[in-house]
Amino acid sequence: MSTKDIVLIALFAALTAALGLIPQITLPMGVPITAQSMGVMLAGAVLGAKRGSLAIVLFLLLVAAGLPLLSGGRGGAGVFFGASGGFLLGFPIGAFVIGWLFDRHHGRPPFGLALLYAVIGGVGVVYLLGVPWLAQVAGLTLGKALAGSMAFLPGDAIKAVLAAIIAREVKKSIPSL
């Protein structure tokens, strides 16, 4: 791995942490709506599968080590065992999937595909891990956990649109990424 790769991985881990400074909205089931999932989408879309997922793994390692980097100043290993733990574990896989899909187009898919890829990885993959985890931790049926998670879809859709726009513009401006 080159110095450039290490710097970009650290930069996107920091970007994901910085997105946690945007105030969260916590739903009654205890799962917060945050801007940090957009960091996942951007890391995968801009850095590609390997570097994007490593950026999110670095971010999560820092959270696990106790740094209060999650929205609302949360951190520590305990957050991985709460209601949002499955979503957090889905973050690096989602970033990898987005990056892998973007890489099929040399990092610059048409906007419609960029948006679809952000939704597939940043919403689909993350929910695939997060919803069953939420159901287990909260003692809900899978259907109820999924229905409760639907409240996040409008915000996730907005984050996916922004990530697709930003990623395409960054890749156009800095093609060497």
Side-chain angles (χ1 to χ4, degrees), residues 45-103:
V46 173
L47 298 182
K50 180 181 174 185
R51 294 182 304 177
S53 60
L54 286 174
I56 303 306
V57 166
L58 174 59
F59 169 74
L60 293 176
L61 287 172
L62 294 171
V63 168
L67 280 100
L69 300 178
L70 291 174
S71 186
R74 298 173 305 123
V79 298
F80 293 94
F81 300 101
S84 60
F87 295 98
L88 295 173
L89 295 174
F91 279 6
I93 300 167
F96 183 88
V97 168
I98 293 167
W100 183 82
L101 291 168
F102 263 73
D103 290 346

Short mmCIF file of all heavy atoms in Angstrom, two decimals, residues 45-103:
data_model
loop_
_atom_site.label_atom_id
_atom_site.label_comp_id
_atom_site.label_asym_id
_atom_site.label_seq_id
_atom_site.Cartn_x
_atom_site.Cartn_y
_atom_site.Cartn_z
N ALA A 45 -17.43 4.87 -3.02
CA ALA A 45 -17.56 5.46 -4.35
C ALA A 45 -16.29 6.18 -4.80
O ALA A 45 -15.90 6.10 -5.97
CB ALA A 45 -18.75 6.42 -4.39
N VAL A 46 -15.64 6.88 -3.90
CA VAL A 46 -14.48 7.68 -4.27
C VAL A 46 -13.18 6.86 -4.23
O VAL A 46 -12.36 6.94 -5.12
CB VAL A 46 -14.35 8.93 -3.36
CG1 VAL A 46 -13.05 9.67 -3.63
CG2 VAL A 46 -15.54 9.86 -3.57
N LEU A 47 -13.04 6.04 -3.18
CA LEU A 47 -11.78 5.32 -3.00
C LEU A 47 -11.75 3.94 -3.63
O LEU A 47 -10.68 3.35 -3.78
CB LEU A 47 -11.46 5.18 -1.51
CG LEU A 47 -11.27 6.46 -0.72
CD1 LEU A 47 -10.92 6.15 0.72
CD2 LEU A 47 -10.20 7.34 -1.36
N GLY A 48 -12.89 3.39 -3.98
CA GLY A 48 -12.94 2.04 -4.51
C GLY A 48 -13.16 1.03 -3.40
O GLY A 48 -13.22 1.36 -2.22
N ALA A 49 -13.25 -0.23 -3.81
CA ALA A 49 -13.63 -1.29 -2.87
C ALA A 49 -12.63 -1.47 -1.74
O ALA A 49 -13.01 -1.45 -0.56
CB ALA A 49 -13.79 -2.61 -3.64
N LYS A 50 -11.37 -1.65 -2.05
CA LYS A 50 -10.37 -1.96 -1.02
C LYS A 50 -10.13 -0.77 -0.08
O LYS A 50 -10.28 -0.89 1.13
CB LYS A 50 -9.06 -2.38 -1.68
CG LYS A 50 -7.97 -2.72 -0.69
CD LYS A 50 -6.69 -3.10 -1.41
CE LYS A 50 -5.55 -3.31 -0.44
NZ LYS A 50 -4.29 -3.58 -1.15
N ARG A 51 -9.77 0.37 -0.65
CA ARG A 51 -9.46 1.53 0.20
C ARG A 51 -10.69 2.05 0.92
O ARG A 51 -10.62 2.48 2.07
CB ARG A 51 -8.80 2.64 -0.62
CG ARG A 51 -7.42 2.25 -1.14
CD ARG A 51 -6.76 3.37 -1.91
NE ARG A 51 -7.61 3.82 -3.02
CZ ARG A 51 -7.31 4.81 -3.83
NH1 ARG A 51 -6.19 5.48 -3.69
NH2 ARG A 51 -8.14 5.16 -4.79
N GLY A 52 -11.83 2.02 0.24
CA GLY A 52 -13.07 2.50 0.86
C GLY A 52 -13.46 1.66 2.07
O GLY A 52 -13.80 2.19 3.13
N SER A 53 -13.41 0.34 1.91
CA SER A 53 -13.77 -0.51 3.05
C SER A 53 -12.73 -0.40 4.16
O SER A 53 -13.07 -0.42 5.35
CB SER A 53 -13.95 -1.97 2.61
OG SER A 53 -12.77 -2.48 2.04
N LEU A 54 -11.44 -0.26 3.82
CA LEU A 54 -10.41 -0.09 4.84
C LEU A 54 -10.59 1.22 5.62
O LEU A 54 -10.33 1.27 6.82
CB LEU A 54 -9.01 -0.16 4.23
CG LEU A 54 -8.55 -1.56 3.81
CD1 LEU A 54 -7.21 -1.48 3.08
CD2 LEU A 54 -8.47 -2.49 5.00
N ALA A 55 -11.05 2.26 4.93
CA ALA A 55 -11.31 3.53 5.62
C ALA A 55 -12.40 3.35 6.68
O ALA A 55 -12.28 3.85 7.80
CB ALA A 55 -11.72 4.61 4.62
N ILE A 56 -13.43 2.60 6.34
CA ILE A 56 -14.52 2.39 7.29
C ILE A 56 -14.10 1.43 8.40
O ILE A 56 -14.49 1.60 9.56
CB ILE A 56 -15.79 1.91 6.55
CG1 ILE A 56 -16.20 2.93 5.47
CG2 ILE A 56 -16.93 1.68 7.53
CD1 ILE A 56 -16.37 4.37 5.97
N VAL A 57 -13.29 0.43 8.07
CA VAL A 57 -12.75 -0.46 9.11
C VAL A 57 -11.91 0.36 10.09
O VAL A 57 -12.03 0.18 11.32
CB VAL A 57 -11.93 -1.62 8.50
CG1 VAL A 57 -11.10 -2.34 9.56
CG2 VAL A 57 -12.85 -2.60 7.79
N LEU A 58 -11.07 1.26 9.59
CA LEU A 58 -10.28 2.12 10.46
C LEU A 58 -11.18 2.95 11.37
O LEU A 58 -10.96 3.03 12.58
CB LEU A 58 -9.36 3.03 9.64
CG LEU A 58 -8.58 4.09 10.43
CD1 LEU A 58 -7.67 3.43 11.48
CD2 LEU A 58 -7.78 4.97 9.48
N PHE A 59 -12.20 3.55 10.79
CA PHE A 59 -13.16 4.33 11.58
C PHE A 59 -13.77 3.48 12.69
O PHE A 59 -13.83 3.89 13.85
CB PHE A 59 -14.25 4.88 10.64
CG PHE A 59 -15.42 5.47 11.36
CD1 PHE A 59 -15.33 6.69 12.00
CD2 PHE A 59 -16.64 4.78 11.41
CE1 PHE A 59 -16.41 7.22 12.67
CE2 PHE A 59 -17.72 5.31 12.07
CZ PHE A 59 -17.61 6.54 12.71
N LEU A 60 -14.21 2.27 12.35
CA LEU A 60 -14.84 1.39 13.35
C LEU A 60 -13.85 0.91 14.41
O LEU A 60 -14.22 0.74 15.58
CB LEU A 60 -15.53 0.21 12.66
CG LEU A 60 -16.74 0.57 11.80
CD1 LEU A 60 -17.28 -0.66 11.10
CD2 LEU A 60 -17.82 1.27 12.60
N LEU A 61 -12.60 0.69 14.03
CA LEU A 61 -11.58 0.31 15.01
C LEU A 61 -11.37 1.44 16.02
O LEU A 61 -11.20 1.20 17.22
CB LEU A 61 -10.27 -0.05 14.32
CG LEU A 61 -10.25 -1.40 13.60
CD1 LEU A 61 -8.95 -1.56 12.80
CD2 LEU A 61 -10.42 -2.55 14.58
N LEU A 62 -11.37 2.66 15.53
CA LEU A 62 -11.23 3.81 16.43
C LEU A 62 -12.43 3.93 17.37
O LEU A 62 -12.28 4.24 18.55
CB LEU A 62 -11.04 5.09 15.62
CG LEU A 62 -9.74 5.17 14.81
CD1 LEU A 62 -9.75 6.36 13.87
CD2 LEU A 62 -8.52 5.20 15.73
N VAL A 63 -13.62 3.65 16.84
CA VAL A 63 -14.83 3.65 17.67
C VAL A 63 -14.71 2.55 18.73
O VAL A 63 -14.97 2.77 19.92
CB VAL A 63 -16.10 3.45 16.81
CG1 VAL A 63 -17.31 3.15 17.68
CG2 VAL A 63 -16.36 4.68 15.95
N ALA A 64 -14.32 1.35 18.31
CA ALA A 64 -14.19 0.22 19.23
C ALA A 64 -13.15 0.50 20.32
O ALA A 64 -13.30 0.05 21.45
CB ALA A 64 -13.84 -1.05 18.47
N ALA A 65 -12.13 1.27 19.97
CA ALA A 65 -11.09 1.60 20.93
C ALA A 65 -11.57 2.63 21.96
O ALA A 65 -10.86 2.92 22.92
CB ALA A 65 -9.85 2.13 20.21
N GLY A 66 -12.75 3.17 21.75
CA GLY A 66 -13.33 4.07 22.73
C GLY A 66 -13.44 5.52 22.31
O GLY A 66 -13.98 6.33 23.06
N LEU A 67 -12.93 5.86 21.13
CA LEU A 67 -13.06 7.25 20.71
C LEU A 67 -14.53 7.56 20.43
O LEU A 67 -15.21 6.77 19.78
CB LEU A 67 -12.22 7.51 19.46
CG LEU A 67 -10.75 7.72 19.78
CD1 LEU A 67 -10.01 6.43 19.50
CD2 LEU A 67 -10.20 8.83 18.95
N PRO A 68 -15.01 8.70 20.89
CA PRO A 68 -16.44 9.04 20.73
C PRO A 68 -16.73 9.62 19.34
O PRO A 68 -17.13 10.76 19.20
CB PRO A 68 -16.66 10.07 21.83
CG PRO A 68 -15.33 10.75 21.96
CD PRO A 68 -14.30 9.68 21.70
N LEU A 69 -16.54 8.80 18.30
CA LEU A 69 -16.65 9.28 16.93
C LEU A 69 -18.02 9.08 16.30
O LEU A 69 -18.31 9.66 15.26
CB LEU A 69 -15.60 8.57 16.05
CG LEU A 69 -14.15 8.78 16.46
CD1 LEU A 69 -13.23 7.99 15.54
CD2 LEU A 69 -13.80 10.25 16.47
N LEU A 70 -18.84 8.26 16.93
CA LEU A 70 -20.19 8.09 16.39
C LEU A 70 -21.04 9.29 16.73
O LEU A 70 -20.79 10.00 17.71
CB LEU A 70 -20.83 6.82 16.94
CG LEU A 70 -20.22 5.50 16.46
CD1 LEU A 70 -20.85 4.34 17.20
CD2 LEU A 70 -20.39 5.34 14.97
N SER A 71 -22.03 9.52 15.93
CA SER A 71 -22.94 10.63 16.17
C SER A 71 -23.44 10.60 17.61
O SER A 71 -23.71 9.54 18.17
CB SER A 71 -24.12 10.52 15.21
OG SER A 71 -24.94 11.64 15.32
N GLY A 72 -23.49 11.76 18.22
CA GLY A 72 -23.90 11.85 19.61
C GLY A 72 -22.76 11.59 20.59
O GLY A 72 -22.97 11.47 21.78
N GLY A 73 -21.53 11.47 20.07
CA GLY A 73 -20.38 11.25 20.93
C GLY A 73 -20.27 9.85 21.48
O GLY A 73 -19.67 9.62 22.53
N ARG A 74 -20.83 8.88 20.79
CA ARG A 74 -20.77 7.50 21.26
C ARG A 74 -19.51 6.82 20.75
O ARG A 74 -19.02 7.12 19.68
CB ARG A 74 -22.00 6.72 20.78
CG ARG A 74 -23.31 7.27 21.31
CD ARG A 74 -24.56 6.61 20.71
NE ARG A 74 -24.56 6.69 19.26
CZ ARG A 74 -24.64 5.63 18.45
NH1 ARG A 74 -24.78 4.43 18.94
NH2 ARG A 74 -24.63 5.78 17.14
N GLY A 75 -19.02 5.90 21.54
CA GLY A 75 -17.86 5.12 21.16
C GLY A 75 -17.67 3.98 22.14
O GLY A 75 -18.38 3.89 23.15
N GLY A 76 -16.73 3.12 21.88
CA GLY A 76 -16.47 1.98 22.73
C GLY A 76 -17.05 0.72 22.14
O GLY A 76 -17.96 0.76 21.31
N ALA A 77 -16.53 -0.42 22.58
CA ALA A 77 -16.96 -1.70 22.03
C ALA A 77 -18.44 -1.97 22.26
O ALA A 77 -19.08 -2.67 21.48
CB ALA A 77 -16.13 -2.83 22.64
N GLY A 78 -19.02 -1.39 23.30
CA GLY A 78 -20.42 -1.64 23.63
C GLY A 78 -21.40 -1.21 22.54
O GLY A 78 -22.47 -1.80 22.42
N VAL A 79 -21.03 -0.22 21.73
CA VAL A 79 -21.96 0.23 20.69
C VAL A 79 -22.22 -0.85 19.65
O VAL A 79 -23.26 -0.86 19.01
CB VAL A 79 -21.49 1.54 19.99
CG1 VAL A 79 -21.39 2.69 20.97
CG2 VAL A 79 -20.20 1.33 19.24
N PHE A 80 -21.28 -1.79 19.54
CA PHE A 80 -21.44 -2.87 18.56
C PHE A 80 -22.44 -3.92 19.03
O PHE A 80 -22.85 -4.77 18.25
CB PHE A 80 -20.09 -3.51 18.24
CG PHE A 80 -19.17 -2.57 17.52
CD1 PHE A 80 -18.25 -1.81 18.23
CD2 PHE A 80 -19.25 -2.41 16.15
CE1 PHE A 80 -17.41 -0.93 17.58
CE2 PHE A 80 -18.42 -1.52 15.49
CZ PHE A 80 -17.49 -0.78 16.21
N PHE A 81 -22.80 -3.88 20.31
CA PHE A 81 -23.75 -4.85 20.85
C PHE A 81 -25.14 -4.26 21.03
O PHE A 81 -26.04 -4.95 21.45
CB PHE A 81 -23.22 -5.41 22.18
CG PHE A 81 -21.90 -6.11 22.03
CD1 PHE A 81 -20.73 -5.49 22.38
CD2 PHE A 81 -21.86 -7.38 21.47
CE1 PHE A 81 -19.51 -6.13 22.22
CE2 PHE A 81 -20.65 -8.04 21.30
CZ PHE A 81 -19.46 -7.41 21.67
N GLY A 82 -25.31 -2.98 20.69
CA GLY A 82 -26.60 -2.33 20.80
C GLY A 82 -27.42 -2.48 19.53
O GLY A 82 -27.06 -3.22 18.60
N ALA A 83 -28.51 -1.74 19.48
CA ALA A 83 -29.46 -1.84 18.36
C ALA A 83 -28.84 -1.49 17.02
O ALA A 83 -29.22 -2.04 15.99
CB ALA A 83 -30.66 -0.93 18.64
N SER A 84 -27.86 -0.60 17.01
CA SER A 84 -27.26 -0.20 15.73
C SER A 84 -26.01 -1.00 15.38
O SER A 84 -25.38 -0.75 14.35
CB SER A 84 -26.94 1.30 15.74
OG SER A 84 -26.03 1.60 16.77
N GLY A 85 -25.64 -1.98 16.19
CA GLY A 85 -24.42 -2.76 15.96
C GLY A 85 -24.36 -3.43 14.60
O GLY A 85 -23.31 -3.43 13.94
N GLY A 86 -25.44 -4.01 14.15
CA GLY A 86 -25.45 -4.68 12.84
C GLY A 86 -25.27 -3.71 11.70
O GLY A 86 -24.62 -4.02 10.69
N PHE A 87 -25.83 -2.51 11.85
CA PHE A 87 -25.65 -1.49 10.83
C PHE A 87 -24.18 -1.09 10.75
O PHE A 87 -23.62 -0.94 9.67
CB PHE A 87 -26.54 -0.27 11.11
CG PHE A 87 -28.02 -0.58 11.02
CD1 PHE A 87 -28.75 -0.84 12.15
CD2 PHE A 87 -28.66 -0.60 9.79
CE1 PHE A 87 -30.10 -1.14 12.07
CE2 PHE A 87 -30.01 -0.88 9.69
CZ PHE A 87 -30.74 -1.16 10.84
N LEU A 88 -23.56 -0.91 11.93
CA LEU A 88 -22.14 -0.56 11.96
C LEU A 88 -21.29 -1.63 11.31
O LEU A 88 -20.38 -1.32 10.54
CB LEU A 88 -21.69 -0.34 13.41
CG LEU A 88 -22.31 0.85 14.14
CD1 LEU A 88 -21.89 0.85 15.60
CD2 LEU A 88 -21.94 2.16 13.46
N LEU A 89 -21.57 -2.89 11.59
CA LEU A 89 -20.81 -3.98 10.99
C LEU A 89 -21.05 -4.07 9.48
O LEU A 89 -20.20 -4.57 8.74
CB LEU A 89 -21.15 -5.30 11.68
CG LEU A 89 -20.73 -5.37 13.16
CD1 LEU A 89 -21.23 -6.67 13.78
CD2 LEU A 89 -19.24 -5.22 13.33
N GLY A 90 -22.19 -3.59 9.03
CA GLY A 90 -22.48 -3.57 7.60
C GLY A 90 -21.78 -2.44 6.86
O GLY A 90 -21.64 -2.50 5.63
N PHE A 91 -21.31 -1.43 7.59
CA PHE A 91 -20.67 -0.27 6.94
C PHE A 91 -19.49 -0.66 6.03
O PHE A 91 -19.46 -0.26 4.87
CB PHE A 91 -20.20 0.74 7.98
CG PHE A 91 -21.27 1.67 8.50
CD1 PHE A 91 -22.60 1.55 8.16
CD2 PHE A 91 -20.91 2.71 9.36
CE1 PHE A 91 -23.56 2.44 8.65
CE2 PHE A 91 -21.85 3.59 9.86
CZ PHE A 91 -23.17 3.46 9.50
N PRO A 92 -18.48 -1.40 6.52
CA PRO A 92 -17.35 -1.68 5.62
C PRO A 92 -17.73 -2.58 4.45
O PRO A 92 -17.19 -2.43 3.35
CB PRO A 92 -16.31 -2.34 6.52
CG PRO A 92 -17.04 -2.79 7.73
CD PRO A 92 -18.25 -1.91 7.86
N ILE A 93 -18.68 -3.48 4.65
CA ILE A 93 -19.12 -4.35 3.55
C ILE A 93 -19.87 -3.50 2.52
O ILE A 93 -19.68 -3.67 1.31
CB ILE A 93 -19.99 -5.50 4.08
CG1 ILE A 93 -19.17 -6.34 5.07
CG2 ILE A 93 -20.52 -6.37 2.93
CD1 ILE A 93 -19.99 -7.32 5.88
N GLY A 94 -20.70 -2.59 3.00
CA GLY A 94 -21.40 -1.68 2.09
C GLY A 94 -20.44 -0.83 1.28
O GLY A 94 -20.61 -0.67 0.07
N ALA A 95 -19.40 -0.29 1.94
CA ALA A 95 -18.40 0.51 1.24
C ALA A 95 -17.68 -0.33 0.18
O ALA A 95 -17.43 0.13 -0.93
CB ALA A 95 -17.39 1.09 2.23
N PHE A 96 -17.37 -1.59 0.54
CA PHE A 96 -16.71 -2.48 -0.41
C PHE A 96 -17.59 -2.72 -1.64
O PHE A 96 -17.11 -2.62 -2.78
CB PHE A 96 -16.36 -3.82 0.25
CG PHE A 96 -15.62 -4.75 -0.66
CD1 PHE A 96 -14.24 -4.71 -0.74
CD2 PHE A 96 -16.30 -5.64 -1.48
CE1 PHE A 96 -13.55 -5.54 -1.61
CE2 PHE A 96 -15.63 -6.49 -2.35
CZ PHE A 96 -14.24 -6.44 -2.41
N VAL A 97 -18.86 -3.01 -1.42
CA VAL A 97 -19.78 -3.28 -2.53
C VAL A 97 -19.91 -2.05 -3.43
O VAL A 97 -19.85 -2.15 -4.66
CB VAL A 97 -21.16 -3.76 -2.01
CG1 VAL A 97 -22.20 -3.77 -3.12
CG2 VAL A 97 -21.03 -5.14 -1.37
N ILE A 98 -20.08 -0.88 -2.82
CA ILE A 98 -20.19 0.35 -3.61
C ILE A 98 -18.92 0.55 -4.43
O ILE A 98 -18.97 0.83 -5.63
CB ILE A 98 -20.44 1.57 -2.70
CG1 ILE A 98 -21.81 1.48 -2.05
CG2 ILE A 98 -20.30 2.88 -3.50
CD1 ILE A 98 -22.02 2.46 -0.91
N GLY A 99 -17.77 0.40 -3.78
CA GLY A 99 -16.50 0.57 -4.49
C GLY A 99 -16.33 -0.42 -5.62
O GLY A 99 -15.88 -0.07 -6.72
N TRP A 100 -16.71 -1.68 -5.37
CA TRP A 100 -16.59 -2.71 -6.40
C TRP A 100 -17.47 -2.36 -7.60
O TRP A 100 -17.04 -2.50 -8.76
CB TRP A 100 -16.97 -4.07 -5.82
CG TRP A 100 -16.80 -5.19 -6.77
CD1 TRP A 100 -15.64 -5.85 -7.07
CD2 TRP A 100 -17.83 -5.77 -7.59
NE1 TRP A 100 -15.89 -6.81 -8.02
CE2 TRP A 100 -17.22 -6.79 -8.37
CE3 TRP A 100 -19.19 -5.54 -7.73
CZ2 TRP A 100 -17.94 -7.55 -9.26
CZ3 TRP A 100 -19.90 -6.30 -8.63
CH2 TRP A 100 -19.28 -7.30 -9.38
N LEU A 101 -18.68 -1.90 -7.32
CA LEU A 101 -19.59 -1.53 -8.41
C LEU A 101 -19.07 -0.30 -9.17
O LEU A 101 -19.11 -0.27 -10.40
CB LEU A 101 -21.00 -1.28 -7.85
CG LEU A 101 -21.72 -2.53 -7.35
CD1 LEU A 101 -22.97 -2.15 -6.55
CD2 LEU A 101 -22.08 -3.47 -8.50
N PHE A 102 -18.60 0.71 -8.44
CA PHE A 102 -18.04 1.90 -9.09
C PHE A 102 -16.82 1.52 -9.94
O PHE A 102 -16.61 2.07 -11.02
CB PHE A 102 -17.66 2.95 -8.06
CG PHE A 102 -18.68 4.01 -7.84
CD1 PHE A 102 -19.86 3.72 -7.15
CD2 PHE A 102 -18.49 5.30 -8.29
CE1 PHE A 102 -20.81 4.70 -6.93
CE2 PHE A 102 -19.44 6.28 -8.08
CZ PHE A 102 -20.61 5.99 -7.40
N ASP A 103 -16.01 0.60 -9.42
CA ASP A 103 -14.79 0.20 -10.13
C ASP A 103 -15.10 -0.42 -11.48
O ASP A 103 -14.27 -0.40 -12.39
CB ASP A 103 -13.96 -0.77 -9.29
CG ASP A 103 -13.31 -0.10 -8.09
OD1 ASP A 103 -13.29 1.15 -8.03
OD2 ASP A 103 -12.85 -0.84 -7.19
#
